[in-house]
Amino acid sequence: MELQLPIGNGSGHLTADNRMVMALQLRARGDLDAAADLISQALEVAPGWAEARFALAETLTQLGRADAARAAFEHYLAIDPSDSMGAAAHLFQLRGGGPPPDLSPAYVQRLFDQYAPTFEKSLLEGLGYSAPSQICAALRTAQPGRRFAYALDLGCGTGLMGQAIRTDVDLLEGCDLSPKMVAAAMRKGIYDRLWVADLTAALVRLAGNPGELCDLILAADVLIYKRDLGPVLAAATNVARPGGVLAFTLQRCEDADIALGLDQRYWHGRGYVLRIATETGWTPLYVGDAASRKDKGMDVPGLLILLQK
């Protein structure tokens, strides 16, 4: 009987798929050596199976076999140069030095396409997610009574930020890299326009239409997937009206400008963010410590930032 493969697409080879299923079951029970052996057997049958190669690299990492894990991640990248599973971040952690890599758009899209069905339940019930409500409260305190003619919600996800800000906005537009997230947001009927796009690409697109300048640009827990904030903030400057506001949350790094955490999200230093903001034409309106979600029951240190053009 064919077993059900719990990760993405199969290899197209029944023997390889069944070995992979059994390997993942063994790994879940903590039998890492047996799991690595079975994944290797699956790869003998289907050597070009990217997901199995990645699973082998993960398992070798858990076994503490760093050299073999690095080789396996590099082999995976040769099969999938778009890095849709995020090997670059794992290689960075294994190498233990150098500048953090960029996370590939293919990885972020795949991550959130997979996450879409359980996204809101996980965030709201499991992680105590509160970025939208905190951003709205900060905006209403910093500029009481202000109504925004045109707002753009970058990385809108399933629409939690849009729901929170809708009553303060005339025209609300959203974009997200994940088609499944955009589909979920569309079903809520709270956005006037939605499209699938990387946030920087979305800003560049709007910059080509001078008639579509934003009064408010939102990025709730989105820039934690961007290493260098300079291009995003510069692109946002080009589509904001004078006096327009850019509101976003970050994970806070205390001892460096940029760090890549084990959670494969970026952490940014307060000084770095303010320096980049000034260089790209923004003035701080509000900068404060904030925890927009929890991890293992503990607040994740963060920043809530309002910038004005």
Side-chain angles (χ1 to χ4, degrees):
M1 180 179 69
E2 182 178 359
L3 299 175
Q4 183 179 5
L5 189 68
I7 59 164
N9 298 319
S11 67
H13 297 273
L14 180 60
T15 299
D17 289 357
N18 285 343
R19 286 176 180 172
M20 188 66 188
V21 172
M22 290 186 285
L24 294 177
Q25 291 171 345
L26 286 168
R27 191 170 74 174
R29 295 200 295 267
D31 194 346
L32 299 177
D33 284 304
D37 184 58
L38 267 176
I39 298 171
S40 296
Q41 291 179 34
L43 285 165
E44 289 174 4
V45 178
W49 189 8
E51 289 180 325
R53 190 69 60 181
F54 189 90
L56 176 61
E58 284 186 313
T59 308
L60 292 170
T61 300
Q62 291 176 290
L63 283 165
R65 295 166 58 184
D67 290 342
R70 281 193 293 269
F73 279 125
E74 288 164 356
H75 196 164
Y76 159 80
L77 285 171
I79 299 169
D80 178 17
S82 71
D83 193 16
S84 64
M85 299 189 76
H90 289 276
L91 280 169
F92 170 75
Q93 302 293 352
L94 285 167
R95 288 168 180 156
D102 289 311
L103 298 179
S104 76
Y107 164 68
V108 178
Q109 178 183 333
R110 178 178 179 140
L111 175 69
F112 284 98
D113 273 347
Q114 292 176 334
Y115 197 15
T118 60
F119 179 74
E120 289 195 11
K121 182 178 178 66
S122 175
L123 275 184
L124 299 176
E125 297 181 16
L127 303 179
Y129 179 65
S130 60
S133 61
Q134 290 190 45
I135 287 175
C136 287
L139 284 167
R140 291 163 187 160
T141 299
Q143 297 192 325
R146 180 172 180 181
R147 185 166 185 82
F148 300 94
Y150 174 27
L152 174 63
D153 184 7
L154 297 171
C156 64
T158 59
L160 293 173
M161 185 71 247
Q163 285 178 292
I165 199 68
R166 177 73 262 193
T167 56
D168 296 347
V169 174
D170 294 329
L171 177 66
L172 178 61
E173 191 160 349
C175 70
D176 198 283
L177 192 60
S178 163
K180 292 186 179 180
M181 289 287 193
V182 169
M186 192 172 295
R187 287 192 291 271
K188 292 183 175 178
I190 56 176
Y191 291 89
D192 298 291
R193 292 192 303 235
L194 280 164
W195 80 88
V196 176
D198 171 76
L199 60 91
T200 306
L203 291 168
V204 170
R205 168 184 160 177
L206 287 179
N209 186 351
E212 294 195 23
L213 294 179
C214 300
D215 301 276
L216 175 63
I217 302 171
L218 302 153
D221 267 18
V222 174
L223 300 184
I224 57 176
Y225 297 99
K226 289 288 185 181
R227 179 180 62 85
D228 183 1
L229 300 184
V232 179
L233 268 59
T237 305
N238 292 332
V239 302
R241 297 184 190 278
V245 176
L246 172 61
F248 57 97
T249 54
L250 297 168
Q251 293 186 168
R252 187 176 76 247
C253 185
E254 300 291 0
D255 54 3
D257 284 350
I258 306 167
L260 180 62
L262 294 175
D263 57 2
Q264 296 196 16
R265 299 180 180 96
Y266 293 106
W267 300 63
H268 296 92
R270 183 193 306 263
Y272 162 78
V273 178
L274 295 178
R275 184 172 71 251
I276 295 298
T278 299
E279 291 173 356
T280 53
W282 295 97
T283 298
L285 188 62
Y286 172 82
V287 179
D289 292 345
S292 61
R293 60 184 176 80
K294 296 180 182 292
D295 182 24
K296 297 177 182 177
M298 302 292 292
D299 286 343
V300 176
L303 292 169
L304 195 162
I305 297 177
L306 306 182
L307 305 175
Q308 189 163 33
K309 179 174 174 180

